[in-house]
Amino acid sequence: MINLISDTVTRPTPGMLEAMMQAEVGDDVFGEDPSVRALEERIADIFGHEAAVFCPSGTMTNQIALRLHTEPLDEVLCERLSHVYQYETGGYAYNSGLAISLIDGEYGKLRAEQIEAAVKSDFDWLPRTRLVVLENTANKGGGSYYTLDEARAIRHVCDNKALRLHLDGARIFNALVETGESARDWGALFDTISVCLSKGLGAPVGSLLTGSSDLIKRARKFRKVMGGGMRQAGYLAAAGLYALEHQVDRLREDHRRARVLAEALGQQPYVADLRPVKTNILVFDLCEPLDAPTFAERLKERGVLAAPFGPRTMRFVTHLDFTDEMLDRVLAVLDDARLGVA
Ligand SMILES: *Cc1c(COP(=O)(O)O)cnc(C)c1O
C-alpha cells in the first residue's frame, strides 16, 4: 500500500533509530534528561527564542499556548480552517474557557486588515479579544504559507491592539525550505511557536513549544497537569534532534513530488478544484456526483490510501516514505479511466 493519508505515517529511518538507540536519557520530569534538554535548546535557538518545552503532540503545544496567553472570557481569533478550531476537540473552550472568532481567509490564511476588523470593543457583554493564532503551513488550506511580510503586518496589528500572537507551526519547516526565509525572522514575530517533529520531519512522536523563559516555565506546569510529563523521553528527543539535523532540507523532495501529483491531478476530468499546491499537501474537490468516500475506496482497491477531507474533498500528503517509484505508481492509478467515473 502507498500511504498518502498524512505525513504522520512515516517510520523512523535507520539513522534515526540508531540515534534513538544511542540516546543519553534521564528522568525529564526532574529536568534530568540531557537529550530532551538538548532538543529544547536547539529548537529555541533555531527560532531565536529563550526556551522551549517538549510535548507529546502538537495539540498539546497549541492547547498550552492558548492557556498561556489568555484567561477565561477571552477570545481567540483564527482562520475557520485552522487546526485549533477544527481538530483539537474544542479544547479552546474545554481547557481555557475561551470564545473563538472564526475568520474566513484565503486558503487558510488571514490578512492583517481582517484581524484588525475582528477585534471586539471593550464592552461588558463582549469577550476580550486577546490572542491570534496563525497556521503555517495551513493544513486544510492545502499547504499554503504566509510570507514574512504578511506575518509582519499581522504582528503590527497585534502590537497596536495588545493581542498575543501564536504560530501553529506544525509544518513551519515546509514553509521555510520553500521561501528560504530565516527561522529567526519568524521567531521574532511570535510570542510562542509550536513545531511538530512527527509530520514532515519524520520523527515518531513529539512537538515543541518555544517562547520566553517566563512563558515556557509556566508552560511546563500546564504540560504536567495535562498529563504530558514524560520520563526517559530522550529516546524520542534523539529522534527529533536527528530529524532537525538530517531531514529538514529533504522536505523539498516532498514538495517536488507534490507538484508532480498536482500536475497530474490538474489534467483529470474528475477533479473540479485543486487548491494551489505550495508545499507537501494537495487538497482537491471531485466533480459531482463522485463523492470522496467512493473515490478513496477506489484508490484503496488500487493500492493507494488517501483521506476524504470533506463530502467531495480529498487530501494527499507527500512525505519521507513516499518515493519516486511510488509516485510513478500513483500517477498510473490517477490515469486509470475507471477511477473517476461517476
Ligand atoms: C498535526 C497538526 C497539529 C498537531 O497535531 P497532533 O496530531 O496533536 O500532533 C497542529 N496543527 C496542525 C496544522 C497540524 O497539521
Side-chain angles (χ1 to χ4, degrees):
M1 279 287 179
I2 296 172
N3 196 334
L4 296 176
I5 286 177
S6 177
D7 46 8
T8 57
V9 301
T10 58
R11 304 296 157 88
T13 52
M16 180 179 280
L17 280 175
E18 185 58 28
M20 294 169 77
M21 301 270 283
Q22 302 298 327
E24 253 191 88
V25 300
D27 188 333
D28 185 53
V29 171
F30 298 126
E32 285 173 1
D33 188 302
S35 300
V36 171
R37 288 164 70 155
L39 174 64
E40 291 173 342
E41 280 166 25
R42 178 85 190 94
I43 201 88
D45 182 61
I46 286 173
F47 290 99
H49 282 185
E50 287 171 355
V53 59
F54 184 48
C55 292
S57 73
T59 298
M60 189 182 284
T61 45
N62 278 338
Q63 289 299 312
I64 291 173
L66 298 188
R67 185 68 190 74
L68 279 177
H69 295 307
T70 62
E71 45 187 279
L73 305 183
D74 284 349
E75 173 187 71
V76 52
L77 295 182
C78 65
E79 214 279 341
R80 183 178 302 279
L81 301 177
S82 50
H83 197 279
V84 289
Y85 173 62
Q86 299 272 347
Y87 299 123
E88 299 185 11
T89 332
Y92 57 91
Y94 183 79
N95 289 317
S96 299
L98 300 179
I100 197 160
S101 176
L102 302 173
I103 306 175
D104 290 302
E106 194 177 42
Y107 303 121
K109 288 169 49 185
L110 297 175
R111 280 180 292 107
E113 311 86 81
Q114 291 182 293
I115 293 168
E116 189 156 33
V119 177
K120 290 193 166 49
S121 305
D122 180 17
F123 292 121
D124 287 351
W125 53 90
L126 296 177
R128 178 183 69 154
T129 308
R130 179 59 175 155
L131 173 66
V132 175
V133 176
L134 302 186
E135 188 173 305
N136 203 30
T137 66
N139 177 357
K140 216 172 162 64
S144 60
Y145 53 78
Y146 290 86
T147 65
L148 199 50
D149 283 340
E150 290 167 338
R152 280 198 182 110
I154 290 170
R155 176 77 248 184
H156 189 66
V157 169
C158 292
D159 287 342
N160 287 339
K161 301 282 185 182
L163 306 178
R164 298 279 186 92
L165 184 58
H166 170 67
L167 178 63
D168 178 352
R171 297 188 179 80
I172 182 65
F173 289 105
N174 291 84
L176 293 177
V177 301
E178 203 54 38
T179 61
E181 291 168 350
S182 106
R184 290 206 171 191
D185 286 346
W186 274 84
L189 300 179
F190 292 87
D191 295 290
T192 47
I193 299 180
S194 162
V195 181
C196 288
L197 304 170
S198 56
K199 304 284 169 80
L201 295 184
V205 176
S207 295
L208 290 118
L209 184 69
T210 72
S212 68
S213 305
D214 286 349
L215 282 174
I216 297 305
K217 185 167 171 15
R218 196 154 159 69
R220 290 181 185 281
K221 285 197 188 285
F222 290 126
R223 178 183 66 167
K224 188 64 180 143
V225 79
M226 287 177 177
M230 298 182 286
R231 302 293 179 174
Q232 284 73 38
Y235 293 114
L236 301 174
L241 283 165
Y242 182 89
L244 290 172
E245 188 74 26
H246 301 284
Q247 294 178 175
V248 173
D249 288 340
R250 66 149 305 285
L251 292 170
R252 291 196 180 88
E253 293 281 294
D254 299 341
H255 300 175
R256 174 177 63 75
R257 294 186 183 108
R259 283 194 293 269
V260 175
L261 285 174
E263 201 163 313
L265 281 171
Q267 290 166 7
Q268 301 301 338
Y270 52 81
V271 174
D273 176 67
L274 170 66
R275 317 290 183 269
V277 174
K278 303 286 189 184
T279 53
N280 69 327
I281 299 177
L282 300 100
V283 175
F284 57 97
D285 297 329
L286 299 161
C287 293
E288 288 193 48
L290 185 59
D291 62 82
T294 304
F295 187 73
E297 195 50 43
R298 287 186 192 162
L299 284 174
K300 192 174 173 184
E301 286 162 10
R302 291 160 175 80
V304 179
L305 299 175
F309 221 44
R312 242 175 264 294
T313 307
M314 293 292 302
R315 185 183 76 165
F316 289 175
V317 187
T318 61
H319 52 74
L320 183 63
D321 289 350
F322 178 65
T323 62
D324 279 332
E325 189 260 333
M326 293 177 184
L327 174 63
D328 288 341
R329 277 159 60 199
V330 174
L331 293 176
V333 167
L334 295 178
D335 280 338
D336 181 334
R338 288 178 29 250
L339 185 68
V341 292

